[in-house]
Short mmCIF file of all heavy atoms in Angstrom, two decimals:
data_model
loop_
_atom_site.label_atom_id
_atom_site.label_comp_id
_atom_site.label_asym_id
_atom_site.label_seq_id
_atom_site.Cartn_x
_atom_site.Cartn_y
_atom_site.Cartn_z
N GLY A 237 -5.47 5.30 39.49
CA GLY A 237 -6.16 4.57 40.49
C GLY A 237 -7.57 4.18 40.17
O GLY A 237 -8.06 4.38 39.03
N CYS A 238 -8.26 3.64 41.13
CA CYS A 238 -9.65 3.20 40.99
C CYS A 238 -10.56 4.48 40.92
O CYS A 238 -10.18 5.55 41.36
CB CYS A 238 -10.13 2.39 42.16
SG CYS A 238 -9.00 1.16 42.71
N ASN A 239 -11.71 4.32 40.36
CA ASN A 239 -12.78 5.29 40.46
C ASN A 239 -12.43 6.63 39.82
O ASN A 239 -12.85 7.70 40.37
CB ASN A 239 -13.15 5.55 41.92
CG ASN A 239 -13.91 4.38 42.52
OD1 ASN A 239 -14.65 3.68 41.81
ND2 ASN A 239 -13.69 4.12 43.82
N LEU A 240 -11.69 6.66 38.75
CA LEU A 240 -11.39 7.94 38.10
C LEU A 240 -12.69 8.73 37.82
O LEU A 240 -13.64 8.21 37.27
CB LEU A 240 -10.67 7.72 36.79
CG LEU A 240 -10.27 8.97 36.00
CD1 LEU A 240 -8.89 8.88 35.41
CD2 LEU A 240 -11.26 9.27 34.88
N GLY A 241 -12.64 10.02 38.26
CA GLY A 241 -13.73 10.92 37.93
C GLY A 241 -14.97 10.77 38.81
O GLY A 241 -15.93 11.56 38.63
N VAL A 242 -14.96 9.87 39.73
CA VAL A 242 -16.13 9.66 40.57
C VAL A 242 -16.15 10.56 41.80
O VAL A 242 -15.18 10.61 42.51
CB VAL A 242 -16.23 8.18 40.99
CG1 VAL A 242 -17.42 7.91 41.87
CG2 VAL A 242 -16.20 7.22 39.81
N PRO A 243 -17.23 11.30 41.99
CA PRO A 243 -17.30 12.11 43.20
C PRO A 243 -17.08 11.27 44.42
O PRO A 243 -17.64 10.18 44.55
CB PRO A 243 -18.74 12.70 43.16
CG PRO A 243 -19.13 12.66 41.71
CD PRO A 243 -18.43 11.46 41.13
N GLY A 244 -16.23 11.74 45.31
CA GLY A 244 -15.90 11.00 46.52
C GLY A 244 -14.67 10.11 46.34
O GLY A 244 -14.25 9.49 47.32
N ASN A 245 -14.08 10.11 45.20
CA ASN A 245 -12.88 9.20 44.97
C ASN A 245 -11.65 9.67 45.76
O ASN A 245 -10.69 8.96 45.88
CB ASN A 245 -12.56 9.07 43.48
CG ASN A 245 -12.17 10.34 42.83
OD1 ASN A 245 -11.97 11.37 43.47
ND2 ASN A 245 -12.12 10.32 41.50
N MET A 246 -11.75 10.91 46.32
CA MET A 246 -10.69 11.34 47.19
C MET A 246 -10.35 10.30 48.31
O MET A 246 -9.19 10.05 48.58
CB MET A 246 -11.16 12.65 47.87
CG MET A 246 -10.37 13.15 49.01
SD MET A 246 -11.26 14.52 49.79
CE MET A 246 -12.21 13.60 50.96
N GLN A 247 -11.41 9.70 48.85
CA GLN A 247 -11.18 8.72 49.87
C GLN A 247 -10.42 7.50 49.36
O GLN A 247 -9.51 6.96 49.99
CB GLN A 247 -12.54 8.28 50.53
CG GLN A 247 -12.36 7.53 51.83
CD GLN A 247 -11.49 8.29 52.87
OE1 GLN A 247 -11.75 9.48 53.11
NE2 GLN A 247 -10.49 7.65 53.39
N THR A 248 -10.83 7.10 48.13
CA THR A 248 -10.12 5.96 47.49
C THR A 248 -8.64 6.30 47.33
O THR A 248 -7.76 5.47 47.56
CB THR A 248 -10.69 5.71 46.05
OG1 THR A 248 -12.11 5.76 46.14
CG2 THR A 248 -10.24 4.41 45.50
N THR A 249 -8.36 7.56 46.91
CA THR A 249 -6.98 7.96 46.73
C THR A 249 -6.22 7.95 48.02
O THR A 249 -5.08 7.47 48.10
CB THR A 249 -6.95 9.36 46.06
OG1 THR A 249 -7.78 9.29 44.86
CG2 THR A 249 -5.53 9.75 45.65
N LEU A 250 -6.83 8.49 49.08
CA LEU A 250 -6.17 8.46 50.40
C LEU A 250 -5.93 7.05 50.88
O LEU A 250 -4.82 6.72 51.35
CB LEU A 250 -7.05 9.22 51.41
CG LEU A 250 -7.24 10.71 51.16
CD1 LEU A 250 -8.21 11.31 52.15
CD2 LEU A 250 -5.87 11.47 51.23
N ASP A 251 -6.92 6.18 50.68
CA ASP A 251 -6.72 4.76 51.05
C ASP A 251 -5.62 4.10 50.21
O ASP A 251 -4.86 3.27 50.72
CB ASP A 251 -8.03 3.99 50.86
CG ASP A 251 -9.11 4.47 51.81
OD1 ASP A 251 -8.79 5.13 52.79
OD2 ASP A 251 -10.36 4.14 51.55
N THR A 252 -5.53 4.52 48.97
CA THR A 252 -4.48 3.93 48.07
C THR A 252 -3.10 4.32 48.58
O THR A 252 -2.15 3.54 48.59
CB THR A 252 -4.69 4.46 46.63
OG1 THR A 252 -6.03 4.05 46.22
CG2 THR A 252 -3.69 3.78 45.67
N ILE A 253 -2.99 5.60 48.97
CA ILE A 253 -1.68 6.07 49.49
C ILE A 253 -1.25 5.22 50.67
O ILE A 253 -0.09 4.80 50.78
CB ILE A 253 -1.77 7.56 49.88
CG1 ILE A 253 -1.89 8.41 48.60
CG2 ILE A 253 -0.55 8.01 50.71
CD1 ILE A 253 -2.15 9.89 48.85
N HIS A 254 -2.19 4.89 51.54
CA HIS A 254 -1.87 4.05 52.71
C HIS A 254 -1.68 2.61 52.33
O HIS A 254 -0.89 1.86 52.98
CB HIS A 254 -2.93 4.21 53.81
CG HIS A 254 -3.00 5.62 54.32
ND1 HIS A 254 -4.16 6.37 54.34
CD2 HIS A 254 -2.03 6.42 54.78
CE1 HIS A 254 -3.86 7.59 54.80
NE2 HIS A 254 -2.61 7.65 55.11
N ALA A 255 -2.31 2.18 51.22
CA ALA A 255 -2.25 0.78 50.87
C ALA A 255 -0.82 0.33 50.51
O ALA A 255 -0.46 -0.87 50.67
CB ALA A 255 -3.16 0.51 49.64
N VAL A 256 0.04 1.25 50.02
CA VAL A 256 1.37 0.85 49.61
C VAL A 256 2.34 0.74 50.76
O VAL A 256 3.48 0.35 50.57
CB VAL A 256 1.96 1.70 48.49
CG1 VAL A 256 1.25 1.47 47.17
CG2 VAL A 256 1.96 3.17 48.86
N GLU A 257 1.90 1.07 51.95
CA GLU A 257 2.70 0.89 53.15
C GLU A 257 4.09 1.44 53.01
O GLU A 257 5.07 0.75 53.32
CB GLU A 257 2.71 -0.60 53.54
CG GLU A 257 1.32 -1.14 53.88
CD GLU A 257 1.21 -2.65 53.80
OE1 GLU A 257 2.22 -3.30 53.48
OE2 GLU A 257 0.13 -3.18 54.04
N GLY A 258 4.18 2.62 52.51
CA GLY A 258 5.49 3.29 52.45
C GLY A 258 6.30 3.04 51.20
O GLY A 258 7.36 3.66 50.97
N MET A 259 5.87 2.10 50.36
CA MET A 259 6.63 1.82 49.11
C MET A 259 6.42 3.02 48.19
O MET A 259 5.37 3.69 48.20
CB MET A 259 6.08 0.57 48.39
CG MET A 259 6.48 -0.74 49.09
SD MET A 259 6.06 -2.15 48.08
CE MET A 259 4.28 -2.25 48.37
N PRO A 260 7.41 3.30 47.32
CA PRO A 260 7.28 4.43 46.39
C PRO A 260 6.07 4.20 45.46
O PRO A 260 5.78 3.10 44.99
CB PRO A 260 8.55 4.38 45.59
CG PRO A 260 9.54 3.59 46.37
CD PRO A 260 8.71 2.60 47.17
N LEU A 261 5.33 5.27 45.22
CA LEU A 261 4.17 5.21 44.34
C LEU A 261 3.97 6.53 43.67
O LEU A 261 4.05 7.58 44.30
CB LEU A 261 2.90 4.86 45.20
CG LEU A 261 1.59 4.75 44.40
CD1 LEU A 261 1.61 3.46 43.57
CD2 LEU A 261 0.38 4.71 45.38
N HIS A 262 3.72 6.47 42.33
CA HIS A 262 3.39 7.71 41.61
C HIS A 262 1.91 7.69 41.30
O HIS A 262 1.44 6.80 40.60
CB HIS A 262 4.21 7.84 40.34
CG HIS A 262 3.90 9.08 39.56
ND1 HIS A 262 4.40 10.33 39.88
CD2 HIS A 262 3.08 9.28 38.53
CE1 HIS A 262 3.96 11.24 39.07
NE2 HIS A 262 3.10 10.63 38.18
#
Side-chain angles (χ1 to χ4, degrees):
Chain A
C238 315
N239 289 329
L240 179 138
V242 178
N245 62 11
M246 167 190 91
Q247 193 53 50
T248 317
T249 307
L250 295 173
D251 293 344
T252 303
I253 289 173
H254 296 124
V256 290
E257 296 162 0
M259 285 188 285
L261 181 71
H262 179 80

